Amino acid sequence: MRAVTTRPTIRATGGLVASGHHLATIAGIESLREGGSAIDAAVAAAAVCAVVLPHRTSIGGDLFALVYDARTRRVTAYNGSGAAARRLDVGSFRAGFPVGGARTATVPGVVAAWGDLMEDGGRLGLERALRAAIHYAADGFLVSDVLADDIAAHSDALGADAGCVAVFRPRGRDLGAGEVVVQPDLAGSLREIARQGASAFYRGPLAERLAEGIARLGGDIDGDDLAAHATERREPLSVAYRGLRVFGQPPVSQGHVLLEELAIAAGWDFAAMPWGGADLVHEMVEIKKLAFADRDAYAGDPRAVPFSADDLLAPAFIEARRAALPDRASDRAAAGAMAAATPADTTYLAVVDGDGNAVSLIESVFTAFGAVAIVPGTGILLNSRLTGFSLDAGSPNALAPGKRPVHTLNAVMALDGATTTPRLVFGTPGRQAQVQTNFQLAVALIDHGQGVQEAIDQPRWYHEQGRELRMEARYPEDVRRALAERGHEVRVLPDWAEITGGAQAIVIEPGGALAGGADPRREGLAAGY
């Protein structure tokens, strides 16, 4: 019997885009129809997101992507995250991180990553990829209900920054749903990037204005920091799971957390456990706790600390972690011993083109409206990623000049283990929820064979710390009661809780059809042709 879902599953053969905003999805589809590759479509969609989802992403933010090249049958991981300013005074943060402001930003990596993606696999050029984004910045777009709610919720912070006032409170009040957002300065910056290339963001007149503007806002990032930035292209991490090879982002992304979860889960027959039942939820929550404990104990910027995610995925380590799973809810999981050695403001998109190329991409400003600071004369909204560091000097993720913080951002892709062709492309925003929701999606899609929209629609759980387990109200009462009997302190979330993310996913079905879905918890859209 076909599952009843909130939206129809979208099927296509020419290409499919699933993104966090309908205008971005349309831009991606238009790019594919003009002969663009999955990368052309992904960059076009991501650029529109950076204009129409300012509460989630910006050209002043970060980006991570996994890209499958159908010709070489290889997956490449792109790390478009930046470092803390090299002249940063760590001592000035002894009292804690400020709430917003240019000092909370790290070097933006989005634009460099767009340029590198286009250089490696684009067909139409960066100017074409940015066309729709420039249009929506210059001529405006209509405020959605979600954006209107976020503007109202952050009204005081937005009102404290002149650039944010000009964009989001242009008539002395918060913009509401259905009103037009116009960003002429951002359109100018995007035009400069389109004409001169991504390097214009990091060197030259735009970079100079950016550095000068950050200084006027009291930030630490300067021209040398911008000029030193570069995208990392790396081999992705991967694990075998139920006949698939699941790929994740290497550090500084926390993609290794999902892969550790799956590696531990591979020792259980999850398909034999009823979907949504207390036994399956308990095992998955406790696996999550182990993987997060290992992340917190070991993960940091590999350029600054001796951290190798491969150690967390080693068979002996995984076997020891599997043996550590408790029968009852644990209060605090301990990190594994190794041999020597809040709703998030992010957006995710997936693209597969007619040639079989695939992109799994996520970009972010970290918190709502990032630093809540628009650099004067540029329209560039800065990220707040510096606050992702730890102020504990003993942490591998401790704040330091020139170092990158550990990122919640991660994207997922799974290939058929025998044919090395893509089968799943998925991800979600949601900060700490990302690798939890991705874990739930993976088990629903792979172990339980659910359809793509069905898996996205399923009720979700979310764990942050201790024995408290938050569960969407659509979980049956008997399941919640059974989990409480096993020691979980169950807290009921709304039926569709945004804190659990806003997933997009594409499944390549056995016959070759592309099937896409988008999360009703946010405002995404899947479309194809």
Side-chain angles (χ1 to χ4, degrees), residues 33 138 254 291 314 422 432 515 521:
R33 282 190 172 277
Q254 67 169 353
Q432 305 296 352
R521 295 166 182 82

Side-chain angles (χ1 to χ4, degrees), residues 195-414:
R195 288 194 305 266
Q196 300 175 21
S199 62
F201 190 96
Y202 302 94
R203 301 171 193 84
L206 174 58
E208 291 171 5
R209 296 197 305 276
L210 179 57
E212 290 167 1
I214 290 173
R216 290 204 300 275
L217 293 175
D220 299 302
I221 296 167
D222 61 20
D224 290 339
D225 293 312
L226 293 171
H229 176 77
T231 306
E232 276 191 354
R233 297 172 179 86
R234 294 184 59 191
E235 288 290 319
L237 301 172
S238 68
V239 295
Y241 190 74
R242 320 296 193 207
L244 299 177
R245 174 62 59 176
V246 182
F247 290 83
Q249 293 285 345
V252 290
S253 165
Q254 67 169 353
H256 58 83
V257 177
L258 173 65
L259 299 186
E260 184 180 350
E261 290 170 334
L262 291 173
I264 296 171
W268 273 265
D269 185 2
F270 276 2
M273 299 181 186
W275 175 259
D279 289 343
L280 182 58
V281 172
H282 170 79
E283 295 295 348
M284 292 179 71
V285 170
E286 295 306 314
I287 288 172
K288 173 268 171 187
K289 291 178 184 178
L290 294 178
F292 270 62
D294 295 335
R295 177 200 69 176
D296 294 342
Y298 301 117
D301 184 348
R303 301 186 308 192
V305 296
F307 170 58
S308 171
D310 290 332
D311 294 337
L312 299 178
L313 304 177
F317 185 80
I318 292 298
E319 191 59 40
R321 299 310 272 152
R322 196 176 290 142
L325 281 172
D327 293 329
R328 292 182 55 79
S330 60
D331 185 55
R332 180 179 177 82
M338 280 200 275
T342 30
D345 294 290
T346 301
T347 191
Y348 169 84
L349 63 90
V351 182
V352 179
D353 65 26
D355 295 325
N357 302 296
V359 177
S360 184
L361 184 151
I362 191 164
E363 60 182 21
S364 175
V365 287
F366 193 45
T367 53
F369 299 99
V372 201
I374 291 178
V375 180
T378 70
I380 297 170
L381 178 70
L382 294 173
N383 67 78
S384 57
R385 187 62 62 175
L386 194 84
T387 61
F389 279 110
S390 171
L391 293 176
D392 176 0
S395 168
N397 189 37
L399 176 65
K403 183 180 176 184
R404 300 169 301 180
V406 169
H407 280 250
T408 54
L409 300 183
N410 70 105
V412 189
M413 188 177 293

Side-chain angles (χ1 to χ4, degrees), residues 121-145:
R123 299 171 184 164
L124 305 180
L126 186 61
E127 187 170 8
R128 168 60 188 86
L130 300 185
R131 188 171 70 192
I134 292 169
H135 165 71
Y136 291 122
D139 296 344
F141 66 94
L142 296 179
V143 176
S144 69
D145 294 328

Side-chain angles (χ1 to χ4, degrees), residues 6 26 28 32 46 57 67 93 122 163 199 210 280 283 292 340 346 378 412 417 419 462 465 472:
T6 59
I26 292 169
L32 290 176
T57 185
V67 175
F93 294 96
S199 62
L210 179 57
L280 182 58
E283 295 295 348
F292 270 62
T346 301
T378 70
V412 189
T419 64
Y462 172 76
Q465 59 185 355
E472 289 183 329

Side-chain angles (χ1 to χ4, degrees), residues 5-6 27 47 64 86 102 118 147 151 155 165 208 231 289 300 311 352 360 393 435 443 460 468 490:
T5 58
T6 59
F64 288 82
R86 292 183 293 182
M118 292 298 296
L147 178 55
I151 290 172
S155 180
V165 167
E208 291 171 5
T231 306
K289 291 178 184 178
D311 294 337
V352 179
S360 184
V435 288
V443 172
R460 292 185 191 145
E468 181 179 279
V490 177

Side-chain angles (χ1 to χ4, degrees), residues 175-202:
L175 287 176
E179 295 190 282
V180 179
V181 179
V182 180
Q183 302 172 81
D185 288 342
L186 177 58
S189 294
L190 287 168
R191 287 192 188 100
E192 216 164 320
I193 294 165
R195 288 194 305 266
Q196 300 175 21
S199 62
F201 190 96
Y202 302 94

